[in-house]
Amino acid sequence: MSAVPFHYVDLRAFCYATEDEKRVEAALRTFLPEDVDIEREETEGHHGDRILVMSARLERADEVRHVLSALARLNDFQQLIDELDQRVDDNCAFFIQLDKQAAYKGDVELGAGLMLRGKVEAYPAKKEKAVATAEEALQELAEERD
């Protein structure tokens, strides 16, 4: 992948009281370069239960490229590309939810538990331009993985 079409990528997962913190971190690390720190913020659920929010923001081109390369391992990667119009908002932000259990096992699947949000570079900053930019980059990734 030549140019990285994102200003940054945020990854976030919630670790509920019933979950093992190390497993949730391992799921997040499926998408992160080794040297990236994971921020932890403790909060409280509706019933007073502890929730740990784990997150990482990647801004360097190599880090973003690493996340996108991991994303390219999706079995339904073409579906992701086809859905870009629904996954990019009017602020040029790209959203995807990934399966936390699958990520813990090192697999990449659409699902729930891990949230990925990326700010797409688009000039001018319009949704249509962001979708086209993201599609071009993801299509390039798809070709690299085939």
Side-chain angles (χ1 to χ4, degrees):
M1 170 193 273
S2 46
V4 177
F6 291 88
H7 293 289
Y8 61 82
V9 171
D10 290 328
L11 281 159
R12 186 178 69 210
F14 296 108
C15 179
Y16 298 98
T18 57
E19 294 179 301
D20 182 336
E21 191 177 319
K22 288 184 182 1
R23 291 175 74 130
V24 175
E25 181 177 339
L28 257 182
R29 292 231 172 259
T30 295
F31 300 94
L32 297 173
E34 282 182 35
D35 61 338
V36 169
D37 291 329
I38 294 177
E39 292 181 29
R40 289 168 163 72
E41 183 181 336
E42 210 165 294
T43 187
E44 200 173 282
H46 182 67
H47 300 287
D49 50 322
R50 177 187 154 268
I51 299 173
L52 184 62
V53 181
M54 296 183 181
S55 62
R57 173 167 281 198
L58 304 128
E59 296 176 326
R60 293 193 344 248
D62 288 346
E63 295 172 340
V64 172
R65 203 174 283 116
H66 182 94
V67 173
L68 295 177
S69 294
L71 199 56
R73 297 195 337 250
L74 259 172
N75 288 335
D76 36 13
F77 193 63
Q78 189 57 50
Q79 175 190 345
L80 176 67
I81 294 171
D82 295 342
E83 294 173 349
L84 278 172
D85 196 53
Q86 293 93 52
R87 294 185 177 278
V88 175
D89 70 12
D90 291 337
N91 295 318
C92 302
F94 166 72
F95 295 93
I96 182 172
Q97 288 215 32
L98 299 157
D99 188 294
K100 191 183 339 180
Q101 272 311 115
Y104 170 69
K105 297 174 187 166
D107 298 325
V108 180
E109 296 176 15
L110 296 176
L114 294 179
M115 281 76 61
L116 182 150
R117 177 183 181 272
K119 183 71 169 181
V120 182
E121 287 184 4
Y123 306 101
K126 300 266 187 245
K127 177 179 177 171
E128 298 75 27
K129 180 66 176 159
V131 169
T133 300
E135 183 174 3
E136 185 180 321
L138 295 179
Q139 207 62 61
E140 192 178 316
L141 267 176
E143 290 165 13
E144 286 176 13
R145 77 177 198 154
D146 292 340

Short mmCIF file of all heavy atoms in Angstrom, two decimals, residues 112-142:
data_model
loop_
_atom_site.label_atom_id
_atom_site.label_comp_id
_atom_site.label_asym_id
_atom_site.label_seq_id
_atom_site.Cartn_x
_atom_site.Cartn_y
_atom_site.Cartn_z
N ALA A 112 -18.86 -8.09 16.77
CA ALA A 112 -19.04 -7.09 17.82
C ALA A 112 -17.94 -7.26 18.86
O ALA A 112 -17.36 -8.33 19.00
CB ALA A 112 -20.41 -7.23 18.46
N GLY A 113 -17.69 -6.20 19.59
CA GLY A 113 -16.74 -6.26 20.69
C GLY A 113 -15.53 -5.37 20.51
O GLY A 113 -15.01 -4.83 21.46
N LEU A 114 -15.06 -5.23 19.27
CA LEU A 114 -13.94 -4.35 18.98
C LEU A 114 -14.42 -3.28 18.01
O LEU A 114 -15.03 -3.60 16.99
CB LEU A 114 -12.77 -5.10 18.33
CG LEU A 114 -12.04 -6.14 19.14
CD1 LEU A 114 -10.95 -6.78 18.31
CD2 LEU A 114 -11.45 -5.55 20.40
N MET A 115 -14.16 -2.03 18.34
CA MET A 115 -14.56 -0.95 17.46
C MET A 115 -13.33 -0.33 16.81
O MET A 115 -12.35 -0.05 17.48
CB MET A 115 -15.30 0.14 18.24
CG MET A 115 -16.75 -0.16 18.57
SD MET A 115 -17.07 -1.33 19.91
CE MET A 115 -16.37 -0.59 21.32
N LEU A 116 -13.41 -0.15 15.52
CA LEU A 116 -12.36 0.52 14.78
C LEU A 116 -12.98 1.75 14.15
O LEU A 116 -14.03 1.67 13.53
CB LEU A 116 -11.80 -0.41 13.70
CG LEU A 116 -10.63 0.15 12.88
CD1 LEU A 116 -9.73 -1.00 12.43
CD2 LEU A 116 -11.10 0.93 11.67
N ARG A 117 -12.32 2.88 14.34
CA ARG A 117 -12.77 4.13 13.74
C ARG A 117 -11.54 4.79 13.12
O ARG A 117 -10.51 4.93 13.78
CB ARG A 117 -13.35 5.06 14.80
CG ARG A 117 -13.79 6.41 14.26
CD ARG A 117 -14.30 7.29 15.41
NE ARG A 117 -14.74 8.57 14.92
CZ ARG A 117 -13.96 9.64 14.77
NH1 ARG A 117 -12.68 9.57 15.09
NH2 ARG A 117 -14.44 10.76 14.31
N GLY A 118 -11.66 5.14 11.87
CA GLY A 118 -10.55 5.81 11.20
C GLY A 118 -11.02 7.09 10.56
O GLY A 118 -12.13 7.16 10.04
N LYS A 119 -10.19 8.10 10.61
CA LYS A 119 -10.50 9.38 9.96
C LYS A 119 -9.87 9.35 8.58
O LYS A 119 -8.64 9.33 8.43
CB LYS A 119 -9.95 10.54 10.80
CG LYS A 119 -10.29 11.89 10.25
CD LYS A 119 -11.76 12.22 10.43
CE LYS A 119 -11.98 13.69 10.11
NZ LYS A 119 -13.32 14.11 10.27
N VAL A 120 -10.73 9.30 7.55
CA VAL A 120 -10.26 9.19 6.17
C VAL A 120 -9.78 10.55 5.67
O VAL A 120 -10.43 11.57 5.88
CB VAL A 120 -11.39 8.68 5.24
CG1 VAL A 120 -10.88 8.51 3.81
CG2 VAL A 120 -11.97 7.36 5.76
N GLU A 121 -8.62 10.54 5.02
CA GLU A 121 -8.12 11.76 4.39
C GLU A 121 -8.94 12.01 3.14
O GLU A 121 -9.03 11.15 2.27
CB GLU A 121 -6.65 11.60 4.00
CG GLU A 121 -5.71 11.60 5.17
CD GLU A 121 -4.24 11.54 4.75
OE1 GLU A 121 -3.95 11.57 3.54
OE2 GLU A 121 -3.41 11.47 5.65
N ALA A 122 -9.56 13.17 3.07
CA ALA A 122 -10.35 13.51 1.89
C ALA A 122 -10.26 15.02 1.66
O ALA A 122 -10.50 15.80 2.57
CB ALA A 122 -11.80 13.10 2.10
N TYR A 123 -9.88 15.36 0.46
CA TYR A 123 -9.77 16.78 0.10
C TYR A 123 -10.56 17.01 -1.18
O TYR A 123 -10.19 16.46 -2.20
CB TYR A 123 -8.30 17.18 -0.09
CG TYR A 123 -7.45 16.83 1.10
CD1 TYR A 123 -6.63 15.70 1.09
CD2 TYR A 123 -7.51 17.60 2.26
CE1 TYR A 123 -5.88 15.37 2.21
CE2 TYR A 123 -6.74 17.27 3.38
CZ TYR A 123 -5.94 16.15 3.33
OH TYR A 123 -5.19 15.82 4.45
N PRO A 124 -11.66 17.72 -1.14
CA PRO A 124 -12.27 18.36 0.03
C PRO A 124 -12.87 17.32 0.97
O PRO A 124 -13.15 16.20 0.56
CB PRO A 124 -13.36 19.25 -0.57
CG PRO A 124 -13.72 18.57 -1.85
CD PRO A 124 -12.46 17.94 -2.36
N ALA A 125 -13.08 17.71 2.22
CA ALA A 125 -13.57 16.79 3.25
C ALA A 125 -15.07 16.53 3.07
O ALA A 125 -15.91 17.06 3.77
CB ALA A 125 -13.29 17.34 4.63
N LYS A 126 -15.38 15.72 2.09
CA LYS A 126 -16.77 15.35 1.79
C LYS A 126 -16.88 13.84 1.83
O LYS A 126 -15.93 13.12 1.50
CB LYS A 126 -17.16 15.84 0.39
CG LYS A 126 -17.05 17.32 0.19
CD LYS A 126 -18.39 17.97 0.45
CE LYS A 126 -18.37 19.44 0.10
NZ LYS A 126 -18.57 20.29 1.24
N LYS A 127 -18.03 13.34 2.23
CA LYS A 127 -18.25 11.91 2.37
C LYS A 127 -17.91 11.17 1.07
O LYS A 127 -17.23 10.14 1.09
CB LYS A 127 -19.70 11.62 2.77
CG LYS A 127 -19.99 10.14 2.86
CD LYS A 127 -21.41 9.84 3.27
CE LYS A 127 -21.61 8.33 3.25
NZ LYS A 127 -22.87 7.93 3.83
N GLU A 128 -18.38 11.67 -0.06
CA GLU A 128 -18.16 10.99 -1.35
C GLU A 128 -16.67 10.82 -1.63
O GLU A 128 -16.22 9.78 -2.09
CB GLU A 128 -18.83 11.75 -2.50
CG GLU A 128 -20.33 11.87 -2.40
CD GLU A 128 -20.83 12.89 -1.37
OE1 GLU A 128 -20.10 13.88 -1.06
OE2 GLU A 128 -21.93 12.68 -0.82
N LYS A 129 -15.90 11.85 -1.34
CA LYS A 129 -14.45 11.81 -1.57
C LYS A 129 -13.81 10.82 -0.59
O LYS A 129 -12.91 10.06 -0.97
CB LYS A 129 -13.86 13.22 -1.41
CG LYS A 129 -12.37 13.29 -1.61
CD LYS A 129 -11.96 12.98 -3.04
CE LYS A 129 -10.47 13.15 -3.20
NZ LYS A 129 -9.95 12.42 -4.35
N ALA A 130 -14.28 10.82 0.66
CA ALA A 130 -13.73 9.90 1.66
C ALA A 130 -14.01 8.45 1.28
O ALA A 130 -13.14 7.58 1.40
CB ALA A 130 -14.31 10.21 3.04
N VAL A 131 -15.22 8.17 0.81
CA VAL A 131 -15.58 6.81 0.39
C VAL A 131 -14.69 6.38 -0.77
O VAL A 131 -14.14 5.27 -0.78
CB VAL A 131 -17.08 6.72 0.00
CG1 VAL A 131 -17.39 5.40 -0.70
CG2 VAL A 131 -17.95 6.89 1.23
N ALA A 132 -14.50 7.26 -1.75
CA ALA A 132 -13.66 6.93 -2.91
C ALA A 132 -12.21 6.69 -2.49
O ALA A 132 -11.58 5.74 -2.96
CB ALA A 132 -13.74 8.06 -3.94
N THR A 133 -11.69 7.52 -1.59
CA THR A 133 -10.31 7.37 -1.11
C THR A 133 -10.14 6.06 -0.35
O THR A 133 -9.18 5.31 -0.58
CB THR A 133 -9.94 8.56 -0.19
OG1 THR A 133 -10.06 9.77 -0.93
CG2 THR A 133 -8.54 8.42 0.35
N ALA A 134 -11.07 5.76 0.55
CA ALA A 134 -11.00 4.52 1.33
C ALA A 134 -11.14 3.31 0.41
O ALA A 134 -10.42 2.32 0.57
CB ALA A 134 -12.09 4.51 2.40
N GLU A 135 -12.04 3.39 -0.55
CA GLU A 135 -12.24 2.27 -1.47
C GLU A 135 -10.98 1.98 -2.27
O GLU A 135 -10.58 0.82 -2.41
CB GLU A 135 -13.41 2.57 -2.42
CG GLU A 135 -13.70 1.42 -3.36
CD GLU A 135 -14.95 1.63 -4.20
OE1 GLU A 135 -15.57 2.71 -4.11
OE2 GLU A 135 -15.29 0.70 -4.95
N GLU A 136 -10.35 3.01 -2.76
CA GLU A 136 -9.11 2.84 -3.53
C GLU A 136 -8.03 2.16 -2.68
O GLU A 136 -7.37 1.22 -3.12
CB GLU A 136 -8.63 4.22 -4.01
CG GLU A 136 -7.43 4.17 -4.91
CD GLU A 136 -7.00 5.58 -5.35
OE1 GLU A 136 -7.89 6.41 -5.62
OE2 GLU A 136 -5.78 5.82 -5.42
N ALA A 137 -7.87 2.62 -1.45
CA ALA A 137 -6.84 2.05 -0.57
C ALA A 137 -7.16 0.61 -0.20
O ALA A 137 -6.28 -0.26 -0.20
CB ALA A 137 -6.72 2.90 0.68
N LEU A 138 -8.42 0.33 0.14
CA LEU A 138 -8.80 -1.03 0.53
C LEU A 138 -8.74 -1.98 -0.66
O LEU A 138 -8.37 -3.15 -0.51
CB LEU A 138 -10.17 -1.04 1.19
CG LEU A 138 -10.27 -0.28 2.52
CD1 LEU A 138 -11.70 -0.34 3.07
CD2 LEU A 138 -9.29 -0.81 3.54
N GLN A 139 -9.09 -1.49 -1.84
CA GLN A 139 -8.99 -2.31 -3.05
C GLN A 139 -7.53 -2.69 -3.30
O GLN A 139 -7.22 -3.82 -3.65
CB GLN A 139 -9.57 -1.51 -4.23
CG GLN A 139 -10.13 -2.35 -5.34
CD GLN A 139 -11.30 -3.23 -4.90
OE1 GLN A 139 -12.33 -2.75 -4.48
NE2 GLN A 139 -11.14 -4.52 -5.02
N GLU A 140 -6.63 -1.74 -3.08
CA GLU A 140 -5.20 -1.99 -3.23
C GLU A 140 -4.74 -3.06 -2.24
O GLU A 140 -3.97 -3.96 -2.58
CB GLU A 140 -4.43 -0.69 -3.01
CG GLU A 140 -2.98 -0.74 -3.41
CD GLU A 140 -2.27 0.60 -3.22
OE1 GLU A 140 -2.86 1.64 -3.57
OE2 GLU A 140 -1.14 0.59 -2.71
N LEU A 141 -5.24 -2.97 -1.01
CA LEU A 141 -4.92 -3.99 0.01
C LEU A 141 -5.43 -5.35 -0.41
O LEU A 141 -4.76 -6.36 -0.21
CB LEU A 141 -5.57 -3.62 1.34
CG LEU A 141 -4.76 -2.82 2.33
CD1 LEU A 141 -5.63 -2.48 3.53
CD2 LEU A 141 -3.52 -3.56 2.77
N ALA A 142 -6.64 -5.40 -0.97
CA ALA A 142 -7.25 -6.66 -1.41
C ALA A 142 -6.38 -7.31 -2.49
O ALA A 142 -6.16 -8.53 -2.48
CB ALA A 142 -8.66 -6.42 -1.92
#
